[in-house]
Every structure is written in structure tokens, then in C-alpha cells.
Amino acid sequence: RGGNYVQIATVDPETCEPRCRTVVFRGFLSPRPNEDGSAADKGEESCVMKMITDLRSSKVGEASGHTSPATANTCELVWWFAKSSEQYRVRGKLQFVGGDESDDFLVRMRK
């Protein structure tokens, strides 16, 4: 129980203070099809995690408000598994996919 909740931390670009919140992990995205449109190789797995958020939330501005490309959309995720008492920290980039997204693959994955 609770393994689908993760904490995501961002940094407020104005105050440089950390911000952390709990979000629901919705699974891993399917692998992106090959450039020719054919399916990805069997057994290939995606390392892209999917969470859902409201684009009006403060985390969107906190993640995308940085002017440096090195820190733009950067976050750290903490995932705690109570049964095994394990904690995993994952750093990466957030990508927000809204209703105006032009990438067909991301639009399909958004649903």
C-alpha cells in the first residue's frame, strides 16, 4: 500500500527555496515507436515515469521558471517502499504535456 505515491521536489526560481509535494505515480510510459512508425523492440522498456498534474499548479512554474538550461525542469523524486523499508531517489527532467501538445505519441500517452 502507498507504493504509487512519490514525492517530487523542485526549486522555486525566485526564492531558490526547495518545494516538495506528493504526487501519484501512474506507471511508466510505453516505449516510443521507431522513427518509421513500427513498434519498439519487444522487451524494450521505458524509463519515463508518468504523473498527472494541473498545469495551474505551482510545481509547473517552479520547474519551468529557471532561465538556465541546466536547471530548467529539473526535479528530484523520492520513492519510499514501506514493506521493504527502501527509499529510492531519482533526479531528472520534468516534461509537461498539455492539451496543446503537438507530439502525437505524448498526446496518446497523456490519456
Side-chain angles (χ1 to χ4, degrees):
R1 176 165 164 73
N4 57 331
Y5 294 100
V6 299
Q7 285 66 48
I8 289 184
T10 56
V11 174
D12 185 302
E14 292 180 20
T15 65
C16 294
E17 296 173 333
R19 299 286 184 252
C20 190
R21 78 274 299 148
T22 300
V23 296
V24 179
F25 171 67
R26 300 289 184 179
F28 291 95
L29 291 188
S30 302
R32 186 179 281 274
N34 296 319
E35 288 185 24
D36 64 3
S38 62
D41 295 335
K42 286 187 176 186
E44 185 176 328
E45 295 182 15
S46 171
C47 63
V48 178
M49 299 173 165
K50 179 179 177 180
M51 286 81 163
I52 308 282
T53 193
D54 187 321
L55 285 175
R56 297 170 294 184
S57 74
S58 60
K59 75 176 92 41
V60 175
E62 290 163 5
S64 58
H66 295 267
T67 55
S68 167
T71 57
N73 293 347
T74 301
C75 75
E76 183 166 277
L77 174 146
V78 177
W79 205 340
W80 169 252
F81 294 92
K83 285 186 179 181
S84 60
S85 294
E86 294 175 295
Q87 173 180 289
Y88 295 92
R89 293 173 46 192
V90 180
R91 272 185 233 144
K93 298 281 186 178
L94 295 173
Q95 180 174 359
F96 298 102
V97 179
D100 59 348
E101 178 63 52
S102 61
D103 184 320
D104 290 337
F105 173 75
L106 291 176
V107 170
R108 285 193 314 275
M109 294 297 107
R110 185 173 179 252
K111 297 177 182 187

